[in-house]
Amino acid sequence: MRFNEKELIFLSRQPSERAAELGMRGPKKGDVMKRRLVKLIVNFLFYFRTDEEEPVGALLLEQCRVEREDDMAFSIAFLDEAERKYLFECDSQEQCLEWIDAIIKASYEFMRKNLIFYRSEIHRLTGKDPLEQYGISDETRFQVSSGLPPLPPPPT
Amino acid sequence: MPPSLRRSAALRVMKLNERSVAHYATCNSPPDKTGFLWKKGERNPTYHRRWCVLKGNMLFYFEERDSREPVGVIVLEGCTVELCDSESEEFAFAIRFDCARARIYKLAAENQVAMESWVKALSRATFDYMRLLVRELERQLEEAQQVALSQQAKNKPKKSQVQGGNGGRSKPTSLQGPLTQPTGSPEEGLLSLIPGKENGVSWNKPAGLSNGVGEGSGVVWEAEGRGDSVRPPPIPPRRKTPGGSLEDPVSPGTGCFSKLHDWYGKEVAELRVEWLQGQ
C-alpha cells in the first residue's frame, strides 16, 4: 500500500503532544527491546533511533488497543492482529499511565465520540445545535447514528 | 553499527503499520466521505479512476469500489486543498503539502457539486480541525452547564448544590455518558464513556492489570485528577507549541475555532471565485 512518506516524515518533525525515550519492542518473535525516542503527534506514534532525525517508523493509532502490561510497561495492539503487540517500557508508573492516557485520546475516533457527546449535551441543555453556526451540522462524521453498532441496552 | 554500514537515509523506507492502516480503511467505522475521483498517477501523468474513502485525516484510494485493499493512502495532516486548472480534467483540485519537495496530489471530480463537496470535506479532515472543534464544544458545554446550574439555584433555592463531593462543580443528575439512556450507576455511565467498545481501545485485560474495568476507566479520568464519574470525557491534551498558539501549517494559527472555520470557508469561496473568473 502506498503512502505519502515524505509528508509523514515532515509531520514527525512537528511539535508533539508528548515525547520521551522509551524502551520499545516490536511485535514479531525475535524482536528485542530497543531504546527509541517516541513521539506522539496527532494520531501517529513515531519512533526514532535516539541519534537520528528521521523516524524508523510510525504507528497509526486508530483501531488499536492500549493495555497496561506491567507496573511500568504498556502495549499497543491493533484490532486486525490482536495478538501482535508493540511493547513499551517507561521509567516510572506515572509516565506509563500518562502515555496510556495520551494514546487512548490520540485517535480521531475518540475525538469524534467526544464531539458527538458534547453536541448532544449542548443541544439537550440549550435546545440549540452548536454545529449549525459553522454550517457543518449535516456532515456524516458528526451524526450520532452514523454506522456505529448500537450500544447494548442498559441492564435492567 | 557505524553509520556507513546502515542503509543510507536516502534509501531507507520509513516503516508504517500498513496492514492495520489498510484495515482501518475497510473496517466498519463509518467513513466521512466516499466516491469516485480521478487521480493523477504517481509516475505517469494519466488520470485513473479511483474509489476514494475519506476517514478521519486519511484519504484512501482503491482500484475498484469492492477492492479489499487500498492501492494507497494520503495522510492529510498539514495539507491545503486548492482548486486547480487542468488541461485534461474539469473539476480538478489538488492536495498540497508544505514540506520541501512535497508531492502535489491532483484529483478531479465528476461534476461541480462533487468537487466542491470533496474540497470542503478534505480541507476539514485534519486532526487539528477536529481537536479545535472538540475544544470549542467542550467550552460551550461547560458554559451551558453553568447556566443550567445557576437556573437550578434560582428555581430551587433550598436544594443542595454540591453533589458528588467534587468541590465547587456539580452536575445535574441527568447528565450521563454519551450515546446512552441514563443508566443505573455511575460506573455504568462511565463504562459507556470508555471508547473501547467501539474502536477497540479498552481496559478489558483481566489478569495482570492493576485496575479492573470499572477502575480502569477511573485511571483514564483520574490521570487528569478528576474523580467525578459523571463527567463528559476530557478532551485530548493541547499540543505543546512555542508561544502557546496552535502552530499548524494550514491554519492561520488562531486558537479560536469560529475564526478558523471562517478562514477555511473564506479560502474555498475565494478560490472558487478565482476559478470561475478564470473560466
Side-chain angles (χ1 to χ4, degrees):
Chain A
M1 187 185 69
R2 295 191 212 130
F3 63 95
N4 49 334
E5 186 185 347
K6 245 192 234 120
E7 289 78 14
L8 216 48
I9 291 174
F10 182 70
L11 182 64
S12 77
R13 295 215 187 96
Q14 303 314 305
S16 63
E17 205 58 62
R18 179 170 285 273
E21 249 191 56
L22 302 176
M24 178 178 175
R25 191 184 76 198
K28 297 195 276 231
K29 252 191 194 155
D31 278 345
V32 294
M33 187 70 69
K34 294 175 184 166
R35 206 84 187 134
R36 291 285 181 251
L37 173 62
V38 178
K39 275 175 96 175
L40 177 61
I41 299 175
V42 298
N43 49 352
F44 281 92
L45 197 69
F46 293 99
Y47 49 100
F48 301 71
R49 286 193 185 91
T50 51
D51 57 348
E52 288 183 357
E53 279 197 359
E54 290 203 350
V56 173
L59 300 176
L60 173 69
L61 298 171
E62 302 288 342
Q63 304 288 307
C64 70
R65 174 183 289 127
V66 189
E67 284 178 339
R68 188 100 174 268
E69 291 290 339
D70 218 329
D71 239 22
M72 305 201 289
F74 65 91
S75 66
I76 301 176
F78 296 93
L79 292 196
D80 58 316
E81 358 182 84
E83 292 322 306
R84 287 168 43 109
K85 293 183 178 183
Y86 292 79
L87 189 66
F88 296 85
E89 264 179 13
C90 304
D91 294 331
S92 73
Q93 260 196 46
E94 190 189 350
Q95 188 189 42
C96 181
L97 291 174
E98 285 171 3
W99 272 98
I100 291 172
D101 189 55
I103 291 170
I104 286 175
K105 292 171 183 169
S107 78
Y108 197 96
E109 296 300 317
F110 179 87
M111 283 204 295
R112 186 204 309 269
K113 287 180 174 65
N114 280 3
L115 193 135
I116 288 172
F117 173 68
Y118 294 143
R119 180 189 189 186
S120 67
E121 277 305 296
I122 290 168
H123 185 259
R124 195 181 58 79
L125 289 175
T126 67
K128 289 197 207 129
D129 174 6
L131 296 187
E132 237 176 70
Q133 66 174 131
Y134 304 121
I136 50 180
S137 312
D138 294 334
E139 287 189 16
T140 327
R141 57 184 166 154
F142 301 137
Q143 306 314 312
V144 171
S145 53
S146 56
L148 288 173
L151 289 169
T156 43
Chain B
M1 186 188 292
S4 55
L5 289 183
R6 288 190 196 146
R7 275 204 300 182
S8 89
L11 294 175
R12 187 168 68 195
V13 173
M14 189 182 82
K15 291 193 223 176
L16 179 68
N17 54 329
E18 285 180 44
R19 263 205 302 248
S20 302
V21 174
H23 174 253
Y24 175 54
T26 51
C27 76
N28 61 8
S29 71
D32 299 317
K33 193 168 174 61
T34 59
F36 282 104
L37 287 173
W38 294 89
K39 180 176 173 296
K40 197 169 185 184
E42 320 256 326
R43 272 157 220 135
N44 68 60
T46 51
Y47 278 79
H48 299 99
R49 195 162 182 252
R50 296 288 185 230
W51 175 250
C52 295
V53 173
L54 174 63
K55 261 196 194 183
N57 55 354
M58 321 272 284
L59 180 67
F60 296 94
Y61 48 100
F62 297 76
E63 192 151 336
E64 303 287 343
R65 184 168 182 167
D66 50 10
S67 302
R68 256 192 263 136
E69 279 190 12
V71 172
V73 62
I74 303 172
V75 177
L76 297 168
E77 210 61 35
C79 78
T80 43
V81 185
E82 7 178 279
L83 302 175
C84 66
D85 274 332
S86 162
E87 287 183 355
S88 52
E89 295 295 323
E90 276 188 289
F91 316 120
F93 58 98
I95 300 174
R96 187 191 281 272
F97 292 86
D98 235 354
C99 58
R101 292 171 292 130
R103 268 201 56 172
I104 300 175
Y105 294 86
K106 287 212 169 147
L107 299 158
E110 303 281 346
N111 56 56
Q112 180 73 14
V113 169
M115 178 189 71
E116 288 182 8
S117 173
W118 273 103
V119 168
K120 189 169 146 187
L122 290 168
S123 46
R124 289 174 176 149
T126 61
F127 192 91
D128 263 349
Y129 177 95
M130 194 63 152
R131 180 156 49 191
L132 274 176
L133 188 50
V134 169
R135 225 171 255 154
E136 171 64 18
L137 288 204
E138 206 212 31
R139 189 192 62 78
Q140 285 187 20
L141 178 58
E142 285 181 7
E143 264 177 24
Q145 285 168 348
Q146 290 301 322
V147 167
L149 280 178
S150 58
Q151 276 175 355
Q152 257 190 0
K154 282 186 206 145
N155 296 339
K156 295 174 186 173
K158 291 192 183 137
K159 182 170 179 176
S160 161
Q161 289 304 300
V162 179
Q163 300 167 18
N166 191 26
R169 274 273 212 117
S170 60
K171 302 286 167 296
T173 49
S174 55
L175 261 189
Q176 297 292 338
L179 310 178
T180 60
Q181 301 296 318
T183 54
S185 71
E187 279 88 356
E188 282 161 329
L190 184 55
L191 274 178
S192 65
L193 287 174
I194 305 173
K197 302 286 149 59
E198 282 89 351
N199 70 4
V201 177
S202 78
W203 290 94
N204 295 333
K205 182 174 169 155
L209 182 62
S210 56
N211 303 303
V213 173
E215 290 172 83
S217 45
V219 173
V220 175
W221 314 132
E222 272 158 20
E224 304 244 334
R226 296 174 185 172
D228 186 346
S229 60
V230 188
R231 191 185 169 88
I235 49 167
R238 177 178 272 267
R239 184 196 283 187
K240 297 179 186 54
T241 56
S245 66
L246 282 173
E247 306 259 346
D248 182 336
V250 179
S251 88
T254 177
C256 167
F257 179 73
S258 57
K259 283 201 193 123
L260 179 69
H261 181 89
D262 286 344
W263 183 83
Y264 277 120
K266 204 173 105 189
E267 190 188 52
V268 172
E270 274 170 358
L271 287 168
R272 183 164 185 268
V273 167
E274 265 175 34
W275 181 81
L276 284 172
Q277 283 170 353
Q279 288 299 293

